[in-house]
Amino acid sequence: MPIPHAAKQLLRNQCFVNGHWVAADSGETLTVRDPATQIPIIDVPNLGTNDVARAIEAANAAQQSWQATSSQERSSLLRTWYQLIMDHQKSLAAIMTSEQGKPFAESMGEIAYAASYIDWYAEEAKRQYGETIPGPNPETRIVVTREPVGVCAAITPWNFPAAMITRKVAPALAAGCTMLVKPASETPLTALALAVLANQAGFPAGVFNVLTGQAKTIGAVLTESPIVRKLSFTGSTPIGAKLMAQSAPTIKRVSLELGGNAPFIVFDDADIPAAVQGLIASKFRNAGQTCVCANRVYVQRPVYDEFVAALKEAVAALTVGNGFDEGVSIGPLINQAAVEKVQQHVEDALSLGADLILGGKPHALGGHWFQPTILGKVSQQALCAREETFGPVAPLFVFDTEEEAIALANHTEFGLAAYFYATDINRVHRVAGALETGMVGINTGMISNAAAPFGGVKQSGIGREGSHHGLAEYTELKYMCFGF
Ligand code: ADP
């Protein structure tokens, strides 16, 4: 599906650095393809080490004057950017579906969701409150202010090409930091389109920069630079660990949103139709390619058969196809490797005795589509019990007691999100408290919004995005001791 005419004005084949559209010094490029058709959309620069170093210098040059602007001014620029994004929602969504594959309705939703972080931080920019603390004696007053961290860098994944950027950029700019973003090479076009609109909104040159190219090369320059004071990364745990190590010599601040392996527990007192709807929302959004997707579904034995029947009906109603086609709810996976991983997880579970309730194969459409799949009575030894599947597969595990469900849910090195459905108020409090994750969805499958602190514990990451906590990540406390 070609990108509609109106969206073409937001398409760029250059990087946005220091207020200018630039190519790589070497002239090298990378091709961005539509994952549904494999057709090339456009080529973007493959920046080299020197290109990135120049961009860091530009962000550094802009830092002092940017942090000296009033919070009202930063708020107003963010608000204008937000409005421009919403005015171009359809065009941005079309670019997103072209490069990422998700259904157009989901792209529309993501653009609104991404913009909501800019709206939120336009407000929070004005509320970077400090504090005064009584000193230890009458001649001392302690005053604490929040200062911007300085030049920041972000490396973002392909599953949310807009939201993973705005969740980092909006609080950084609100706090008075300049920002260099390296979007995923699969989905740089949404990021560049956001830069077109940031430029129109009037942010000064160097404040927001988008760099495309090889992640390894750009990541190395960003992490090695002593100028870059903070790195925010969303992606896998192994790459997060690597970037954290690379950031250690310069003692960079890091925020890491890493892998999840979310449990979804259905207790015998759950509202089953609601639990099915919650699982559909949590599991099958973006074809199962989100870090908070339910990955392991634990169902208590007395309600297992009822839950399976209702889930089968709901999943069978999902429509697989090109994200631009009307009524499609499951688009293609991002690439062939993703299809192979999903297939491996399914075959492994089946070889260990799982029931095939629905799907189980690459879709007849070919390409990167996979059938929405339900596996029943899966073994605890299966790969999908331990690793993120990142695809449209719901593996169901049976359990008997609350203690068993909690132990199974926590039996992972990850701790991002967990979900459970129950109605007994005492159980709700017990289980919510016992789950070792940064976020818990209780009788809901949708937990992400700009007002809430998103983030994980254990090997799922460090730091939070969204809410006033997300702004604090881009500030340093400065304590001033006034003697008088
Ligand atoms: P995913 O499987 O979701 O792509 P990764 O953690 O491999 O997860 O990648 C997330 C993002 O991190 C990628 O889009 C890429 O831009 C970036 N990335 C991958 N490898 C590196 C690296 N060695 N250094 C810096 N960034 C990287």
Side-chain angles (χ1 to χ4, degrees):
M1 162 79 61
I3 292 182
H5 186 70
K8 284 201 174 138
Q9 54 169 319
L10 297 181
L11 261 190
R12 289 294 180 278
N13 61 357
Q14 292 180 307
C15 293
F16 188 63
V17 176
N18 203 18
H20 300 292
W21 294 97
V22 299
D25 261 358
S26 64
E28 280 183 33
T29 57
L30 299 173
T31 301
V32 183
R33 288 173 192 275
D34 180 337
T37 59
Q38 306 312 312
I39 294 172
I41 305 170
I42 204 168
D43 291 352
V44 295
N46 181 12
L47 295 188
T49 305
N50 290 339
D51 300 308
V52 180
R54 267 203 307 278
I56 295 173
E57 288 297 342
N60 196 34
Q63 179 59 43
Q64 283 309 318
S65 53
W66 179 241
Q67 77 179 62
T69 55
S70 71
S71 56
Q72 295 289 338
E73 197 174 334
R74 296 197 297 277
S75 169
S76 157
L77 284 165
L78 284 164
R79 180 74 206 171
T80 306
W81 190 24
Y82 161 77
Q83 196 54 56
L84 284 168
I85 291 172
M86 292 311 294
D87 291 348
H88 293 83
Q89 186 181 8
K90 280 195 179 141
S91 294
L92 289 163
I95 291 173
M96 189 185 298
T97 293
S98 298
E99 65 176 349
Q100 205 276 344
K102 67 176 66 182
F104 184 73
E106 280 192 36
S107 292
M108 287 291 283
E110 184 186 333
I111 295 300
Y113 168 68
S116 76
Y117 283 87
I118 302 176
D119 187 35
W120 179 268
Y121 286 110
E123 293 301 320
E124 287 294 311
K126 297 178 272 186
R127 305 202 174 95
Q128 285 197 71
Y129 303 134
E131 58 188 342
T132 59
I133 303 173
N137 57 58
E139 295 83 36
T140 309
R141 180 164 298 149
I142 296 167
V143 174
V144 183
T145 59
R146 288 194 173 273
E147 310 277 314
V149 166
V151 177
C152 295
I155 299 179
T156 57
W158 47 261
N159 58 348
F160 289 94
M164 294 304 105
I165 290 174
T166 58
R167 288 214 299 203
K168 301 175 191 308
V169 174
L173 302 194
C177 302
T178 59
M179 184 53 125
L180 301 137
V181 177
K182 152 70 183 103
S185 294
E186 292 86 348
T187 59
L189 305 179
T190 306
L192 294 169
L194 289 172
V196 172
L197 298 175
N199 195 25
Q200 271 180 34
F203 287 101
V207 166
F208 174 46
N209 310 275
V210 179
L211 314 175
T212 63
Q214 307 282 357
K216 205 169 169 180
T217 308
I218 297 178
V221 184
L222 293 174
T223 49
E224 276 164 23
S225 169
I227 295 171
V228 176
R229 296 308 321 134
K230 179 187 169 86
L231 175 75
S232 179
F233 171 73
T234 299
S236 66
T237 297
I239 299 292
K242 192 172 159 190
L243 291 170
M244 195 175 174
Q246 287 175 207
S247 297
T250 50
I251 318 290
K252 269 188 219 342
R253 274 80 191 115
V254 289
S255 289
L256 305 170
E257 300 287 352
L258 308 177
N261 180 1
F264 187 108
I265 311 170
V266 183
F267 286 102
D268 56 8
D269 55 325
D271 174 337
I272 299 296
V276 167
Q277 283 318 307
L279 182 60
I280 295 287
S282 159
K283 174 72 256 182
F284 292 98
R285 195 159 47 100
N286 204 9
Q289 303 173 111
T290 90
C291 51
V292 291
C293 272
N295 199 56
R296 303 167 285 150
V297 186
Y298 298 107
V299 188
Q300 203 158 12
R301 201 173 301 276
V303 293
Y304 183 81
D305 290 339
E306 181 189 353
F307 184 78
V308 168
L311 183 65
K312 188 174 176 184
E313 194 178 324
V315 176
L318 298 174
T319 308
V320 178
N322 188 306
F324 280 109
D325 292 344
E326 198 70 32
V328 163
S329 43
I330 305 274
L333 297 180
I334 192 72
N335 54 32
Q336 188 54 30
V339 176
E340 283 164 15
K341 182 176 183 189
V342 171
Q343 198 163 7
Q344 181 200 15
H345 276 206
V346 171
E347 282 167 10
D348 168 76
L350 292 174
S351 75
L352 290 167
D355 301 337
L356 181 60
I357 297 170
L358 200 71
K361 290 197 174 63
H363 197 274
L365 282 169
H368 300 159
W369 280 278
F370 203 92
Q371 295 174 335
T373 297
I374 308 174
L375 302 172
K377 298 195 175 145
V378 178
S379 158
Q380 289 306 322
Q381 308 312 315
L383 278 176
C384 60
R386 287 172 282 141
E387 287 178 21
E388 270 185 304
T389 304
F390 240 62
V393 179
L396 312 185
F397 304 81
V398 197
F399 71 92
D400 290 299
T401 67
E402 188 180 303
E403 294 71 27
E404 186 189 352
I406 291 168
L408 287 167
N410 289 340
H411 185 64
T412 167
E413 68 271 28
F414 297 108
L416 190 60
Y419 307 85
F420 71 94
Y421 277 72
T423 51
D424 173 336
I425 187 72
N426 296 326
R427 167 175 274 170
V428 163
H429 283 282
R430 273 196 311 271
V431 176
L435 290 168
E436 296 168 356
T437 56
M439 301 176 282
V440 185
I442 303 152
N443 296 322
T444 177
M446 301 287 278
I447 53 175
S448 299
N449 60 74
F454 185 105
V457 299
K458 295 158 83 177
Q459 290 183 34
S460 287
I462 295 175
R464 295 293 180 270
E465 291 182 336
S467 81
H468 61 282
H469 299 289
L471 183 64
E473 300 270 330
Y474 291 90
T475 66
E476 291 279 15
L477 294 180
K478 179 183 271 179
Y479 148 51
M480 288 164 278
C481 186
F482 288 87
F484 49 89

